[in-house]
Amino acid sequence: HLLLFLLFLGPFNCFASYSRATELFYSLNEGLPAGVLIGSLARDLRLPTAGSQQAASLQPPLSFTLASHGLGGQYVQLDNRSGELHTSAVEIDREALCVESNGATIFGGSAAVSSSSPSPESCLLLLDVLVLPQEYFRLVKVKIAIRDVNDNAPRFPVPHIRLSVPENAPVNTRLAIEHPALDPDMGTNGVQTYRLRDNYGVFTLDVEENENGERTPYLIVMGALDRETQDEYVTVIVAEDGGTPPLVGSATLTIGISDINDNCPQFNDSQLNVTLYGNSSLGTHVASVHAVDMDLGSNAQITYSYSQKVPQPSRDLFHLNESTGAIALSTKVDGDTPRLHRLIILGNGPGCIPAVITVLVTIIKVMMRPPEVVPRFIANEVEGVVYLKELEPINTPIAFFTIKDPDEKYKVSCYLDGDGPFRLSPYKPYNNEYLLETTKPLDFETQQLYEISVVAWNSEGFHVKKVVKVQVLDDNDNSPVFSEQLIELSIEENNVPNAFLTKLHATDADSGERGQVSYFLGPDAPSYFALDKTTGVLTVSTQLDREEKEKYRYTVKAVDAGFPPRESIATVTITVLDKNDNSPRFINKDFSFFVPENFPGFGEIGVISVTDADAGQNGWVALSVLNGSDIFVIDTGKGVLRAKVSLDREQQSSYILWIEAVDGGDPALSSTAKITILLLDINDNPPLVLFPQSNMSYLLVLPSTLPGSPITEVYAVDKDTGMNAVIAYSIIGRRGPRPESFRIDPKTGNITLEESLMQNDYGLYRLLVKVSDHGYPEPLHSTVMVNLFVNDTVSNESYIESLLRKEPDISVEEKQPQISIEPTHKKMESASCMPTLVALSIISLGSIALVTGMGIYICLRKGKKHHRADENLEVQIPLNGRINLHMLEKKPVEISNI
């Protein structure tokens, strides 16, 4: 790099007198992203900056170049034109660059420069930048100080620190913790303090800083310690740095309390009385003494010795083991041996006053040898212990015992001493032979060890005891036993997967592997239940849905590890508890009810059926009317919909309600349903005559009017629907010169002239017209007076009006709407076929009307609408508003059912 740099500078050496070296210093935090501005070399060197008029006039323009792309160059990006220095995509990690605490050496452009400035903790990137062209040429030394940020937490070199403190350490004892925490950050971002999470009331921490700034934690004893009370303290040491926010690191600190010799040996008793027969053999065990020292290791070592007060003959007669404290007969007892010996024994510990115990040995003078007991074991025996399997059959032999008198002078008997299912009986036909056997099966779980004695005595009263220990060996004779045979569990539905249900527990009275229990699901258990073989933890791997299944019942097995294995079975019942996870559900999305109008208030319109799959309070459903509550009400419990008032179809023919069902859960769930109420018409409105508008109106009929010509019409409407609105017209009263001259169409209400008018037919005709509907069960009707004035002109209106004001003398004739027109001229009676034709026509028209009415009724039942081209125009009258009768066109109409 240096060679390339010198070659590059060769052509410009003649301008050395005009060039000058410059040093720039910048600083930035570590860990910044790419593109962060570090500094502008052009601005800081007071050179023309990019974009200025002076820089634009330079030819060639200013350029900035890194003299070498060394280690420092990978962390920065230099704009060749503007001279701006930015961070690159390679993140700057101060701890990786400056591994030394007192500075760092970073290779930059062409030389290695120590970061000795501006502070000992600085970490510098060194760059060499060339500025061209030659009139501005210079070599710029750029130093970039990397500032530390708190991006590293303190960390202990080992996760577990052990420290030993003597139990007699005085208060304020200081012990250095040899593994302090390390923090790559510098200054206040490094480790500042230490603390203990649990000081047990007897410890605290202090921190000392050396000349190099290293901080070492010290453990300080704040209270008295006693190893015999507590020999170890386990806590957590926490190191915290000074960053914002501070970062911490921790390690486990175990403080062991080392033993000192602060306890001395002690005997449990002060005196021990022992009896020894005078004929005892050498090495016979006389007694044992045992002292206890609460210390550990060498501090607890105890040796036993005779006190100086013990006379030498006693010392010679009885040997004391210094380590175990056992006393044995070391010389033969003779007639000169004293019968009472007081042995004062000392228990010696290091640095302690000896403990003292007195052993008083009484020697019984014996003139004969005791009986002998010789065992011959049949069962397996090791060092005086007989091993028998449990469940061995009754009368299992254990050993033969031979009882005899060494002097052969005395009769010897024996018996069995001790508890247990054993029997010692003579074995015939031999003398002095006895058999030890069992009397019932042994049970390891009841008792594992028996200690019995075969005692022999002679006629002089001397006893000899032979101790036999019987160890019962375990067999796999016990099955595992569940703590509960019926395990009743409950869990809320919609549980998380692998939810814990319970931990099964079964015990096996057998020992070892025979008592190790494993758990298994029964064959009837669903696949989504899991049972841990070792721990007995029962889980469910999927979500349970109470609405799908509320109860589970299956078996579980506990199996031991014996051979052959034994098992037991328990039953698990699981009740899935309800959660409010189901909204109320209507049996239909839409309900439709048909109700006759004028239905009495609070009468039952219909029943809204709703269900909720949840149980209990979650499945309780309350119904309410969201709209129309001023007219309708619903029974919350039974779902009965009622109207508060009587309903009138002519005011409103249908109602649409929204019913909300809300359950009793928390939070509550709800759903809605649409209710359509259609009012069925009843015949409660008589026909309304729209024309003629008054009984006092009249119409001029010219005498020249031809027969069959329409004269006028009676126009009426009925607010009802269906057959209740089908109107028929009939003339029920007539008055005039020849009133039969006019007839009315029963269907359309058109009044026509039947016969030619003569000279004597002039005058006022008054027709009483009945307008009747086809309602059921009772048709309703209205009447109107139709006035016709037959004349050429109307010359005297007042006269006509006076006639109209007079009460007409009309006899009412109630006839069917289909009225046949009888002939008015006697000369037509000769045509005998005419009445028959007219009658047949009337009958035909009536049949057609009847068939038409039945068809309309059937169509209404099927909910269809049929339009016939050959019938007059049908008019639908809105049911939800008032009828503007004056806006209706005066045409023959037929009111059809909606």
Side-chain angles (χ1 to χ4, degrees), residues 435-452:
L435 176 64
L436 179 64
E437 59 185 355
T438 61
T439 59
K440 63 180 181 179
L442 303 178
D443 187 2
F444 174 85
E445 289 71 38
T446 302
Q447 187 170 346
Q448 294 85 36
L449 181 65
Y450 294 90
E451 186 171 322
I452 56 178

Side-chain angles (χ1 to χ4, degrees), residues 631-697:
I631 300 177
F632 298 94
V633 66
I634 192 167
D635 188 332
T636 295
K638 299 180 179 179
V640 177
L641 182 64
R642 306 176 189 272
K644 299 179 182 178
V645 297
S646 180
L647 304 177
D648 187 359
R649 189 202 63 79
E650 285 71 38
Q651 292 184 1
Q652 188 168 340
S653 62
S654 64
Y655 295 87
I656 295 178
L657 305 179
W658 290 96
I659 303 296
E660 182 183 38
V662 181
D663 63 22
D666 184 19
L669 302 177
S670 64
S671 61
T672 57
K674 179 181 178 183
I675 312 297
T676 302
I677 301 173
L678 299 174
L679 298 183
L680 302 178
D681 185 49
I682 63 172
N683 193 27
D684 59 343
N685 290 281
L688 177 63
V689 178
L690 300 180
F691 185 82
Q693 298 180 356
S694 171
N695 289 336
M696 302 300 292
S697 62

Side-chain angles (χ1 to χ4, degrees), residues 6-69:
L6 294 175
L7 291 175
F8 184 80
L9 289 182
F12 303 100
N13 54 6
C14 60
F15 301 100
S17 59
Y18 300 99
S19 64
R20 61 184 180 273
T22 306
E23 186 177 87
L24 294 178
F25 179 78
Y26 299 104
S27 64
L28 76 160
N29 291 340
E30 63 174 325
L32 294 178
V36 175
L37 178 64
I38 299 173
S40 175
L41 273 62
R43 182 182 67 246
D44 296 337
L45 294 172
R46 302 181 184 274
L47 298 175
T49 58
S52 64
Q53 184 176 2
Q54 184 180 3
S57 62
L58 289 176
Q59 291 297 331
L62 277 175
S63 67
F64 300 85
T65 308
L66 287 174
S68 174
H69 295 277

Side-chain angles (χ1 to χ4, degrees), residues 573-622:
T573 63
I574 300 174
T575 302
V576 183
L577 304 179
D578 185 53
K579 292 183 70 174
N580 192 28
D581 58 343
N582 289 278
S583 300
R585 191 172 183 181
F586 292 92
I587 61 172
N588 295 317
K589 293 183 179 179
D590 298 325
F591 292 84
S592 296
F593 298 106
F594 295 88
V595 182
E597 66 173 330
N598 300 331
F599 193 68
F602 292 97
E604 181 178 324
I605 294 175
V607 177
I608 311 299
S609 297
V610 62
T611 60
D612 194 313
D614 294 322
Q617 185 73 15
N618 295 331
W620 180 84
V621 179

